[in-house]
Amino acid sequence: MTESARLAPQRRALILDMVRRDGAVRVADLVEQLGVSDMTIRRDLDVLARTGSLSKVHGGAISASVTTGDEPPFETKAGLESRAKSAVAEAASALVKPGSVVAISGGTTSYAVAARLRDVAGLTVVTNSLPVAQLLRPTGAETGPEGPTLLLTGGTPTKSASLVGPLADQAIRSLQVDLLIIGAHGVSERAGATTPNLAEAQTNRALIDCATQVAVVADHTKWGVVGLSRFIALSEIDYFVSDDGLDPEACSVLRESVGQLLLGTTQP
C-alpha cells in the first residue's frame, strides 16, 4: 500500500476540518499543504462528496450545506482556479472588438474577462454584475476618454453579486448587444450550461436573447458540474472558452456541439 493510500482517512479528515473552518478549500492549496498530487486530492474530494460530507465546486470544495440548488458567494469563488480563469479571460477578451456593445454576466470568470477590457476603445458594456460595474465604473483621471461606457441593469442581487429578477430582465430585453460573455456554475453534455439560481437562469436567458453571439466562459473544472437550472444548451453556444486543462473527452464533445471551442493556455 502506498503512503498516500495508507494516510487517506487522515488526509480526508484534514480536508473536512479545513472546509468546516474556512467554508471552502482549493485543490491547489490542498496539494501544497498535504504534499500529494492534484489527482489524489480530486479523488479525496470525490469520496467526501459521495458521502455528503462536502460539495465539490470548480477548483475545490465547499461546505455540504451549499448544494446544487445554492451557490457560494462571489468572494468564496474568486480565489478558486485563478490561473485557469486568467487563461480563459485572455482567450475570451480577444473576441471583443473596439466600438462594439458587449454584455457581461455575473460570475468570477466573467469578471476576469472584464478586467481585460478596460482599454478597449469605444466599448459599451452592459452588465448585471455588481463587481464588473465597480471594476469598469468611470473614475475621472483613472479612465481615459476611450474607456468603456457602462450600463448597469437593475434587479435583485444574488449571493454571487449578480442582479436578477423582473427589473433586470425588463431592462435587458430592451437592448441589443454584439457579444455576450457569460459564466456558468457548471457545464455538461446533457444539461448544457447551468446555474443553481432559478432567477439567475431567467436573467441569463434574457441576456442570451438580446445577443448576436454568445461566448460561454468556464474553466476546465466546471465540466461535469450540473446546477439546478439550465440557461443554454451546448448547440446554442457560438464560442465556448475554457483552458488547456479541459480533458480530451470534453473537448471532443464541445467541438461537435458548439460553434467554436477556444482554449486559453495556463503556461506562464
Short mmCIF file of all heavy atoms in Angstrom, two decimals, residues 149-194:
data_model
loop_
_atom_site.label_atom_id
_atom_site.label_comp_id
_atom_site.label_asym_id
_atom_site.label_seq_id
_atom_site.Cartn_x
_atom_site.Cartn_y
_atom_site.Cartn_z
N THR A 149 -18.04 52.61 -21.94
CA THR A 149 -19.30 53.17 -21.46
C THR A 149 -20.04 52.04 -20.75
O THR A 149 -20.18 50.95 -21.29
CB THR A 149 -20.14 53.71 -22.62
OG1 THR A 149 -19.43 54.76 -23.27
CG2 THR A 149 -21.47 54.22 -22.12
N LEU A 150 -20.51 52.30 -19.53
CA LEU A 150 -21.08 51.25 -18.69
C LEU A 150 -22.58 51.42 -18.53
O LEU A 150 -23.06 52.51 -18.22
CB LEU A 150 -20.41 51.27 -17.31
CG LEU A 150 -20.95 50.28 -16.28
CD1 LEU A 150 -20.65 48.85 -16.70
CD2 LEU A 150 -20.35 50.58 -14.91
N LEU A 151 -23.33 50.34 -18.76
CA LEU A 151 -24.76 50.30 -18.49
C LEU A 151 -25.04 49.17 -17.51
O LEU A 151 -24.79 48.00 -17.82
CB LEU A 151 -25.55 50.06 -19.79
CG LEU A 151 -25.40 51.12 -20.89
CD1 LEU A 151 -26.13 50.66 -22.15
CD2 LEU A 151 -25.93 52.46 -20.42
N LEU A 152 -25.52 49.51 -16.31
CA LEU A 152 -25.80 48.52 -15.28
C LEU A 152 -27.30 48.28 -15.19
O LEU A 152 -28.07 49.23 -15.07
CB LEU A 152 -25.27 49.00 -13.92
CG LEU A 152 -25.53 48.11 -12.71
CD1 LEU A 152 -24.82 46.77 -12.86
CD2 LEU A 152 -25.10 48.81 -11.43
N THR A 153 -27.71 47.02 -15.26
CA THR A 153 -29.14 46.71 -15.13
C THR A 153 -29.57 46.89 -13.68
O THR A 153 -28.76 46.89 -12.76
CB THR A 153 -29.43 45.27 -15.55
OG1 THR A 153 -28.90 44.38 -14.55
CG2 THR A 153 -28.82 44.95 -16.90
N GLY A 154 -30.87 47.01 -13.47
CA GLY A 154 -31.40 46.95 -12.11
C GLY A 154 -31.59 45.51 -11.71
O GLY A 154 -31.13 44.59 -12.38
N GLY A 155 -32.30 45.30 -10.62
CA GLY A 155 -32.59 43.94 -10.21
C GLY A 155 -32.25 43.66 -8.76
O GLY A 155 -31.78 44.53 -8.04
N THR A 156 -32.47 42.43 -8.37
CA THR A 156 -32.20 41.98 -7.00
C THR A 156 -30.89 41.24 -6.96
O THR A 156 -30.69 40.29 -7.73
CB THR A 156 -33.33 41.04 -6.53
OG1 THR A 156 -34.58 41.73 -6.64
CG2 THR A 156 -33.11 40.61 -5.09
N PRO A 157 -29.95 41.61 -6.07
CA PRO A 157 -28.65 40.94 -6.05
C PRO A 157 -28.71 39.53 -5.46
O PRO A 157 -29.43 39.28 -4.50
CB PRO A 157 -27.78 41.85 -5.17
CG PRO A 157 -28.76 42.61 -4.33
CD PRO A 157 -30.01 42.74 -5.14
N THR A 158 -27.98 38.61 -6.08
CA THR A 158 -27.83 37.26 -5.56
C THR A 158 -26.60 37.19 -4.68
O THR A 158 -25.84 38.15 -4.56
CB THR A 158 -27.67 36.25 -6.70
OG1 THR A 158 -26.42 36.51 -7.37
CG2 THR A 158 -28.81 36.37 -7.71
N LYS A 159 -26.35 36.02 -4.08
CA LYS A 159 -25.14 35.84 -3.28
C LYS A 159 -23.89 35.95 -4.14
O LYS A 159 -22.82 36.25 -3.63
CB LYS A 159 -25.17 34.49 -2.57
CG LYS A 159 -26.18 34.43 -1.43
CD LYS A 159 -25.85 33.32 -0.45
CE LYS A 159 -25.83 31.97 -1.10
NZ LYS A 159 -25.60 30.88 -0.12
N SER A 160 -24.03 35.68 -5.45
CA SER A 160 -22.88 35.79 -6.34
C SER A 160 -22.76 37.20 -6.91
O SER A 160 -22.01 37.42 -7.85
CB SER A 160 -22.99 34.77 -7.48
OG SER A 160 -24.16 34.98 -8.23
N ALA A 161 -23.49 38.18 -6.33
CA ALA A 161 -23.40 39.60 -6.68
C ALA A 161 -23.88 39.89 -8.09
O ALA A 161 -23.41 40.82 -8.74
CB ALA A 161 -21.97 40.10 -6.48
N SER A 162 -24.85 39.11 -8.57
CA SER A 162 -25.49 39.36 -9.86
C SER A 162 -26.88 39.94 -9.63
O SER A 162 -27.58 39.53 -8.71
CB SER A 162 -25.62 38.06 -10.66
OG SER A 162 -24.38 37.46 -10.87
N LEU A 163 -27.28 40.90 -10.48
CA LEU A 163 -28.61 41.48 -10.40
C LEU A 163 -29.55 40.66 -11.27
O LEU A 163 -29.31 40.49 -12.46
CB LEU A 163 -28.58 42.94 -10.86
CG LEU A 163 -27.73 43.88 -10.00
CD1 LEU A 163 -27.69 45.27 -10.62
CD2 LEU A 163 -28.25 43.95 -8.57
N VAL A 164 -30.61 40.14 -10.68
CA VAL A 164 -31.54 39.25 -11.39
C VAL A 164 -32.97 39.66 -11.10
O VAL A 164 -33.23 40.56 -10.29
CB VAL A 164 -31.31 37.78 -10.99
CG1 VAL A 164 -29.88 37.35 -11.27
CG2 VAL A 164 -31.64 37.55 -9.51
N GLY A 165 -33.92 38.99 -11.74
CA GLY A 165 -35.32 39.23 -11.48
C GLY A 165 -36.00 40.07 -12.55
O GLY A 165 -35.38 40.45 -13.55
N PRO A 166 -37.27 40.38 -12.37
CA PRO A 166 -38.06 41.07 -13.40
C PRO A 166 -37.48 42.41 -13.85
O PRO A 166 -37.53 42.74 -15.04
CB PRO A 166 -39.42 41.25 -12.72
CG PRO A 166 -39.49 40.17 -11.71
CD PRO A 166 -38.10 39.98 -11.22
N LEU A 167 -36.94 43.21 -12.90
CA LEU A 167 -36.38 44.50 -13.29
C LEU A 167 -35.18 44.32 -14.21
O LEU A 167 -35.03 45.02 -15.21
CB LEU A 167 -35.97 45.29 -12.04
CG LEU A 167 -37.10 45.94 -11.24
CD1 LEU A 167 -36.54 46.61 -9.99
CD2 LEU A 167 -37.84 46.96 -12.10
N ALA A 168 -34.31 43.38 -13.86
CA ALA A 168 -33.14 43.11 -14.71
C ALA A 168 -33.58 42.59 -16.07
O ALA A 168 -33.08 43.04 -17.11
CB ALA A 168 -32.23 42.10 -14.02
N ASP A 169 -34.53 41.66 -16.07
CA ASP A 169 -34.98 41.07 -17.34
C ASP A 169 -35.60 42.11 -18.25
O ASP A 169 -35.35 42.13 -19.47
CB ASP A 169 -36.00 39.96 -17.05
CG ASP A 169 -35.43 38.83 -16.21
OD1 ASP A 169 -34.20 38.80 -16.01
OD2 ASP A 169 -36.21 37.99 -15.74
N GLN A 170 -36.39 43.01 -17.68
CA GLN A 170 -37.05 44.04 -18.48
C GLN A 170 -36.03 44.98 -19.10
O GLN A 170 -36.14 45.35 -20.28
CB GLN A 170 -38.03 44.83 -17.61
CG GLN A 170 -38.81 45.89 -18.37
CD GLN A 170 -39.82 46.61 -17.48
OE1 GLN A 170 -39.95 46.28 -16.30
NE2 GLN A 170 -40.52 47.56 -18.04
N ALA A 171 -35.04 45.39 -18.32
CA ALA A 171 -34.01 46.29 -18.84
C ALA A 171 -33.21 45.61 -19.95
O ALA A 171 -32.92 46.23 -20.99
CB ALA A 171 -33.08 46.71 -17.70
N ILE A 172 -32.88 44.35 -19.77
CA ILE A 172 -32.06 43.63 -20.74
C ILE A 172 -32.82 43.42 -22.05
O ILE A 172 -32.24 43.56 -23.14
CB ILE A 172 -31.62 42.27 -20.15
CG1 ILE A 172 -30.62 42.50 -19.01
CG2 ILE A 172 -31.01 41.38 -21.23
CD1 ILE A 172 -30.40 41.29 -18.14
N ARG A 173 -34.12 43.14 -21.97
CA ARG A 173 -34.89 42.84 -23.18
C ARG A 173 -35.04 44.04 -24.11
O ARG A 173 -35.40 43.89 -25.28
CB ARG A 173 -36.27 42.31 -22.79
CG ARG A 173 -36.22 40.91 -22.19
CD ARG A 173 -37.61 40.28 -22.12
NE ARG A 173 -37.54 38.97 -21.48
CZ ARG A 173 -37.92 38.71 -20.24
NH1 ARG A 173 -38.41 39.68 -19.49
NH2 ARG A 173 -37.82 37.49 -19.75
N SER A 174 -34.77 45.24 -23.61
CA SER A 174 -34.87 46.43 -24.45
C SER A 174 -33.58 46.70 -25.22
O SER A 174 -33.49 47.67 -25.97
CB SER A 174 -35.21 47.65 -23.58
OG SER A 174 -34.12 47.97 -22.71
N LEU A 175 -32.58 45.84 -25.04
CA LEU A 175 -31.25 46.09 -25.61
C LEU A 175 -30.90 45.08 -26.69
O LEU A 175 -31.49 44.00 -26.78
CB LEU A 175 -30.20 46.03 -24.49
CG LEU A 175 -30.40 46.98 -23.31
CD1 LEU A 175 -29.39 46.66 -22.22
CD2 LEU A 175 -30.28 48.43 -23.75
N GLN A 176 -29.90 45.45 -27.51
CA GLN A 176 -29.29 44.53 -28.46
C GLN A 176 -27.78 44.67 -28.32
O GLN A 176 -27.26 45.79 -28.36
CB GLN A 176 -29.71 44.86 -29.89
CG GLN A 176 -31.11 44.41 -30.25
CD GLN A 176 -31.25 42.89 -30.21
OE1 GLN A 176 -30.43 42.16 -30.76
NE2 GLN A 176 -32.30 42.41 -29.56
N VAL A 177 -27.09 43.55 -28.15
CA VAL A 177 -25.64 43.59 -27.97
C VAL A 177 -24.97 42.70 -29.02
O VAL A 177 -25.57 41.75 -29.52
CB VAL A 177 -25.22 43.15 -26.56
CG1 VAL A 177 -25.92 44.00 -25.50
CG2 VAL A 177 -25.53 41.69 -26.32
N ASP A 178 -23.72 43.03 -29.32
CA ASP A 178 -22.98 42.27 -30.32
C ASP A 178 -22.50 40.93 -29.78
O ASP A 178 -22.52 39.91 -30.48
CB ASP A 178 -21.76 43.07 -30.81
CG ASP A 178 -22.17 44.38 -31.44
OD1 ASP A 178 -23.02 44.35 -32.36
OD2 ASP A 178 -21.66 45.44 -31.03
N LEU A 179 -22.07 40.93 -28.52
CA LEU A 179 -21.48 39.73 -27.93
C LEU A 179 -21.84 39.65 -26.46
O LEU A 179 -21.74 40.65 -25.74
CB LEU A 179 -19.95 39.76 -28.08
CG LEU A 179 -19.15 38.63 -27.41
CD1 LEU A 179 -19.40 37.30 -28.10
CD2 LEU A 179 -17.66 38.96 -27.42
N LEU A 180 -22.24 38.48 -26.01
CA LEU A 180 -22.47 38.21 -24.59
C LEU A 180 -21.37 37.31 -24.08
O LEU A 180 -21.09 36.26 -24.65
CB LEU A 180 -23.83 37.53 -24.39
CG LEU A 180 -24.07 36.90 -23.00
CD1 LEU A 180 -24.06 37.96 -21.90
CD2 LEU A 180 -25.37 36.11 -22.99
N ILE A 181 -20.75 37.74 -22.99
CA ILE A 181 -19.77 36.92 -22.28
C ILE A 181 -20.43 36.46 -21.00
O ILE A 181 -20.75 37.28 -20.13
CB ILE A 181 -18.49 37.71 -21.99
CG1 ILE A 181 -17.79 38.07 -23.31
CG2 ILE A 181 -17.55 36.90 -21.10
CD1 ILE A 181 -16.69 39.07 -23.15
N ILE A 182 -20.67 35.16 -20.88
CA ILE A 182 -21.48 34.66 -19.77
C ILE A 182 -20.80 33.48 -19.08
O ILE A 182 -20.32 32.56 -19.74
CB ILE A 182 -22.90 34.29 -20.27
CG1 ILE A 182 -23.83 33.94 -19.11
CG2 ILE A 182 -22.86 33.18 -21.31
CD1 ILE A 182 -25.29 33.89 -19.51
N GLY A 183 -20.76 33.54 -17.77
CA GLY A 183 -20.19 32.45 -17.00
C GLY A 183 -21.23 31.39 -16.68
O GLY A 183 -22.41 31.53 -17.00
N ALA A 184 -20.77 30.32 -16.04
CA ALA A 184 -21.67 29.22 -15.69
C ALA A 184 -21.20 28.55 -14.40
O ALA A 184 -20.00 28.48 -14.14
CB ALA A 184 -21.73 28.18 -16.81
N HIS A 185 -22.15 28.09 -13.62
CA HIS A 185 -21.83 27.30 -12.43
C HIS A 185 -21.29 25.94 -12.83
O HIS A 185 -20.38 25.40 -12.21
CB HIS A 185 -23.09 27.14 -11.58
CG HIS A 185 -22.95 26.21 -10.43
ND1 HIS A 185 -22.33 26.56 -9.25
CD2 HIS A 185 -23.34 24.90 -10.26
CE1 HIS A 185 -22.35 25.54 -8.42
NE2 HIS A 185 -22.95 24.52 -8.99
N GLY A 186 -21.87 25.38 -13.90
CA GLY A 186 -21.43 24.08 -14.40
C GLY A 186 -21.84 23.89 -15.84
O GLY A 186 -22.72 24.59 -16.35
N VAL A 187 -21.16 22.95 -16.51
CA VAL A 187 -21.44 22.65 -17.92
C VAL A 187 -21.34 21.14 -18.11
O VAL A 187 -20.41 20.50 -17.61
CB VAL A 187 -20.43 23.34 -18.87
CG1 VAL A 187 -20.84 23.10 -20.32
CG2 VAL A 187 -20.34 24.83 -18.58
N SER A 188 -22.30 20.58 -18.84
CA SER A 188 -22.23 19.16 -19.17
C SER A 188 -22.85 18.92 -20.53
O SER A 188 -23.59 19.76 -21.04
CB SER A 188 -22.95 18.32 -18.11
OG SER A 188 -24.35 18.44 -18.24
N GLU A 189 -22.56 17.76 -21.09
CA GLU A 189 -23.10 17.42 -22.41
C GLU A 189 -24.61 17.36 -22.38
O GLU A 189 -25.29 17.85 -23.28
CB GLU A 189 -22.53 16.07 -22.87
CG GLU A 189 -23.02 15.65 -24.25
CD GLU A 189 -22.40 14.34 -24.70
OE1 GLU A 189 -21.71 13.68 -23.90
OE2 GLU A 189 -22.61 13.98 -25.88
N ARG A 190 -25.17 16.78 -21.34
CA ARG A 190 -26.62 16.61 -21.26
C ARG A 190 -27.34 17.90 -20.88
O ARG A 190 -28.34 18.29 -21.49
CB ARG A 190 -26.96 15.52 -20.24
CG ARG A 190 -28.45 15.30 -20.04
CD ARG A 190 -28.71 14.28 -18.94
NE ARG A 190 -28.17 14.72 -17.66
CZ ARG A 190 -28.80 15.56 -16.84
NH1 ARG A 190 -29.97 16.07 -17.18
NH2 ARG A 190 -28.26 15.90 -15.69
N ALA A 191 -26.82 18.59 -19.85
CA ALA A 191 -27.54 19.73 -19.29
C ALA A 191 -27.18 21.06 -19.92
O ALA A 191 -27.91 22.03 -19.77
CB ALA A 191 -27.29 19.80 -17.78
N GLY A 192 -26.06 21.12 -20.64
CA GLY A 192 -25.61 22.41 -21.15
C GLY A 192 -25.02 23.24 -20.03
O GLY A 192 -24.45 22.70 -19.08
N ALA A 193 -25.16 24.57 -20.09
CA ALA A 193 -24.65 25.46 -19.05
C ALA A 193 -25.75 25.71 -18.03
O ALA A 193 -26.89 26.01 -18.38
CB ALA A 193 -24.18 26.77 -19.65
N THR A 194 -25.39 25.60 -16.75
CA THR A 194 -26.39 25.65 -15.68
C THR A 194 -25.98 26.59 -14.56
O THR A 194 -24.81 26.95 -14.42
CB THR A 194 -26.62 24.25 -15.10
OG1 THR A 194 -25.37 23.73 -14.60
CG2 THR A 194 -27.19 23.30 -16.13
#
